Amino acid sequence: MTEADVATAVHPIGPNDVRDVLSRHMLTKGMMRMVLDMDESQGVRLKDKSGDASFIDLFGFYASSPLGMNHPKLAHDESFRKRIMDAALNKITNSDVMTEHMARFVDTFSRVGIPNYLPYTFFISGGALAIENALKAAFDWKVRKNFQKGYRREVGHKVLHLDQAFHGRSGYTMSLTNTADPRKTMYYPKFNWPRITNPKVHFPIDEAEEERLAHKEKQALQQAKRAFHEHPDEIAAVILEPIQGEGGDNHFRTSFLRDLKDIAHENDALLIFDEVQSGVGITGQFWAHQAIGVAPDIMAFGKKTQVCGILAGRKLDEVDGHVFETPSRINSTWGGNLVDMVRFDRILEIIEEDELVDHAAHAGDHLQDRLHDLADTHEAITNVRGRGLMCAFDLPTKAHRDAVLEHCFEEGVIILGCGESSIRFRSPLTITPDEIDEGIERLDRALTAVASMGKYEM
């Protein structure tokens, strides 16, 4: 075809054509009823290009948007735009080719976001693949540990995990994911790895809740000890989200996480934290585990980091030849995406310059105050909880929750559900108290509308 033929063959696609075009080859049933205006959307205000609607963003593109749309320090920074275009023009295999762009990014990440107790780093595209490589690092470490003990065969291929966990939809991770929606893992082959109860906190913590938590935590720790007893030398790692996201925004007490880490180490197993959703400032600390006060041996990251991967600590040095010492034990063609690295490099600088982690802590306090106000107004709301901007509350039933989410969209606010009947908040770090107030007012109207219908009440 000539250039003229190509130009004639390519028809411009308008916003009202988008769903029809995508539906020819993709399942669009689960997508939102909007076409995002990539130019006019600003910050936490999302514009629908297929109509006149605009929305307050309280979902943050599934917790992956650190700065909101078109942040001026990205959109109007010519030096950054030049770097990202340079990175985008040719896709580099970062796993075996070094570039100044990648070195600049790693240097910034080291300064702003990498704790000194997690010096080893590996990059890949996708949160589930980050988890898988965290598991591979643990399996490798555990098998080598067992060789040190005198084993002559490979032993150490199990993972201990929690109820209501979400760690992804890929091969290894589906054996760990067990949230309220079975469609994510049903009919796919899975490993029969040990699973323990999740002693999640119900807020507020009163005397009765303290007693219930003590019982549930004791039960979970006993289950963990039993798993290690029943599978001697087989469990390579204990993995959990320091705050479970998809499973219901479930919080755990610091003392429980410390006890679980102690049990892991007593049995020569690593503690892995999945911070794909809880990382990069949303809890008021750069990583959620820093806010909670328990450090992992390996941590997986993604979403707000744009490029995904793992950080690992010196406990891996207890064996020789672990995956950070032996080439190609963990690897991928691209080794993460260079464009994502360049973008996150600048995002990290902005987070540092604008003190957005502290901002998220203060804005989160305001959000939690407003949620408690809502709970005082709406009897249906219970279990208000959160760290920083990572907040949630419960409604009586799934049907009630889903109806509120639908009315939220009609009111011009996008927010997500999680667990059986929870609503979760995942706004960008840049959200202001005024924008929080505006979002809460729209949520309030949605809650009132659903309450007036009656049929969703207990």
Side-chain angles (χ1 to χ4, degrees):
M1 296 177 67
T2 66
E3 269 189 41
D5 292 332
V6 171
T8 304
V10 177
H11 300 290
I13 296 174
N16 294 319
D17 303 321
V18 168
R19 184 172 293 273
D20 286 342
V21 171
L22 293 178
S23 295
R24 294 174 199 161
H25 302 284
M26 296 173 59
L27 179 63
T28 58
K29 183 178 179 181
M31 292 185 176
M32 294 178 185
R33 302 189 311 274
M34 66 175 290
V35 175
L36 183 67
D37 191 320
M38 298 286 288
D39 295 320
E40 294 300 319
S41 296
Q42 300 289 325
V44 300
R45 300 184 184 277
L46 307 181
K47 182 76 170 59
D48 182 1
K49 201 166 186 178
S50 63
D52 295 327
S54 62
F55 302 88
I56 297 290
D57 174 14
L58 297 183
F59 90 115
F61 298 97
Y62 292 88
S64 69
S65 176
L67 305 180
M69 290 291 292
N70 293 311
H71 191 286
K73 287 189 175 183
L74 293 177
H76 306 309
D77 181 337
E78 290 305 317
S79 173
F80 161 71
R81 290 170 68 94
K82 181 180 183 301
R83 287 200 311 276
I84 202 164
M85 176 57 74
D86 189 47
L89 196 60
N90 299 286
K91 188 163 184 175
I92 305 302
T93 56
N94 299 298
S95 59
D96 57 3
V97 176
M98 293 182 285
T99 60
E100 293 171 76
H101 291 311
M102 183 164 62
R104 187 187 196 278
F105 154 64
V106 171
D107 186 55
T108 305
F109 194 16
S110 176
R111 184 182 73 251
V112 181
I114 298 180
N116 58 12
Y117 49 85
L118 296 173
Y120 295 119
T121 305
F122 171 78
F123 300 107
I124 200 162
S125 296
L129 294 182
I131 298 295
E132 293 220 334
N133 282 278
L135 297 180
K136 287 168 68 178
F139 294 144
D140 173 275
W141 179 86
K142 181 63 174 179
V143 171
R144 292 175 190 273
K145 270 277 183 180
N146 284 332
F147 285 156
Q148 290 176 352
K149 291 182 178 181
Y151 278 84
R152 299 179 64 184
R153 61 185 178 87
E154 293 184 16
V155 175
H157 292 159
K158 293 185 183 295
V159 183
L160 182 72
H161 59 289
L162 270 60
D163 284 334
Q164 295 185 301
F166 183 87
H167 294 296
R169 305 169 186 242
S170 58
Y172 285 151
T173 63
M174 283 189 299
S175 298
L176 310 172
T177 291
N178 62 105
T179 53
D181 186 354
R183 294 175 299 174
K184 293 178 170 62
T185 60
M186 61 191 290
Y187 307 146
Y188 303 132
K190 293 174 280 292
F191 293 102
N192 185 25
W193 287 338
R195 182 177 298 166
I196 65 174
T197 190
N198 58 333
K200 58 188 178 184
V201 180
H202 295 160
F203 294 90
I205 304 178
D206 54 19
E207 187 175 341
E209 176 61 9
E210 288 269 9
E211 186 176 338
R212 189 197 68 83
L213 272 174
H215 170 72
K216 296 299 289 185
E217 289 170 348
K218 182 179 179 181
Q219 181 185 44
L221 295 171
Q222 286 175 336
Q223 290 171 355
K225 290 176 182 178
R226 186 179 305 115
F228 279 107
H229 177 73
E230 292 174 352
H231 307 282
D233 291 329
E234 292 187 73
I235 298 173
V238 177
I239 186 170
L240 69 153
E241 304 148 89
I243 302 172
Q244 288 184 322
E246 175 78 14
D249 261 43
N250 302 321
H251 293 246
F252 306 109
R253 293 198 292 190
T254 299
S255 57
F256 167 71
L257 297 180
R258 284 179 179 155
D259 289 344
L260 196 58
K261 180 178 180 178
D262 287 344
I263 291 171
H265 285 185
E266 287 165 8
N267 290 276
D268 276 337
L270 299 174
L271 178 69
I272 301 174
F273 277 165
D274 175 352
E275 290 232 36
V276 169
Q277 188 165 150
S278 62
V280 192
I282 192 170
T283 62
Q285 292 285 335
F286 200 90
W287 304 111
H289 75 261
Q290 293 171 323
I292 293 167
V294 180
D297 301 307
I298 301 177
M299 184 192 71
F301 57 84
K303 290 191 182 290
K304 282 186 179 64
T305 58
Q306 314 292 288
V307 62
C308 306
I310 61 175
L311 303 177
R314 293 295 182 186
K315 192 166 181 62
L316 274 73
D317 294 337
E318 292 178 3
V319 303
D320 293 329
H322 59 71
V323 299
F324 293 97
E325 292 181 339
T326 305
S328 208
R329 289 292 290 143
I330 54 174
N331 208 344
S332 75
T333 297
W334 305 118
N337 188 307
L338 192 60
V339 174
D340 293 335
M341 292 178 181
V342 170
R343 186 189 309 104
F344 188 47
D345 182 1
R346 183 63 186 129
I347 287 170
L348 283 165
E349 292 178 332
I350 295 167
I351 287 173
E352 185 179 44
E353 292 163 7
D354 295 354
E355 299 180 335
L356 290 180
V357 175
D358 286 342
H359 172 80
H362 296 307
D365 288 342
H366 181 72
L367 172 58
Q368 291 171 54
D369 287 343
R370 292 305 313 272
L371 294 181
H372 283 291
D373 291 342
L374 270 186
D376 291 339
T377 305
H378 296 275
E379 188 178 346
I381 293 179
T382 58
N383 196 20
V384 174
R385 55 206 185 271
R387 281 187 183 272
L389 289 166
M390 190 172 180
C391 297
F393 62 80
D394 292 349
L395 289 170
T397 65
K398 180 181 186 300
H400 191 144
R401 188 269 311 278
D402 292 349
V404 170
L405 294 178
E406 183 68 22
H407 278 74
C408 279
F409 193 84
E410 300 302 327
E411 291 289 346
V413 59
I414 302 178
I415 195 167
L416 299 173
C418 64
E420 292 285 351
S421 59
S422 298
I423 287 180
R424 57 178 157 164
F425 295 75
R426 296 293 189 271
S427 65
L429 305 180
T430 52
I431 194 168
T432 66
D434 286 345
E435 290 167 336
I436 289 171
D437 289 342
E438 187 175 347
I440 293 295
E441 288 166 11
R442 298 183 188 197
L443 173 58
D444 187 15
R445 292 198 294 269
L447 287 160
T448 300
V450 173
S452 69
M453 298 167 66
K455 64 180 181 178
Y456 294 109
E457 297 299 334
M458 293 286 283

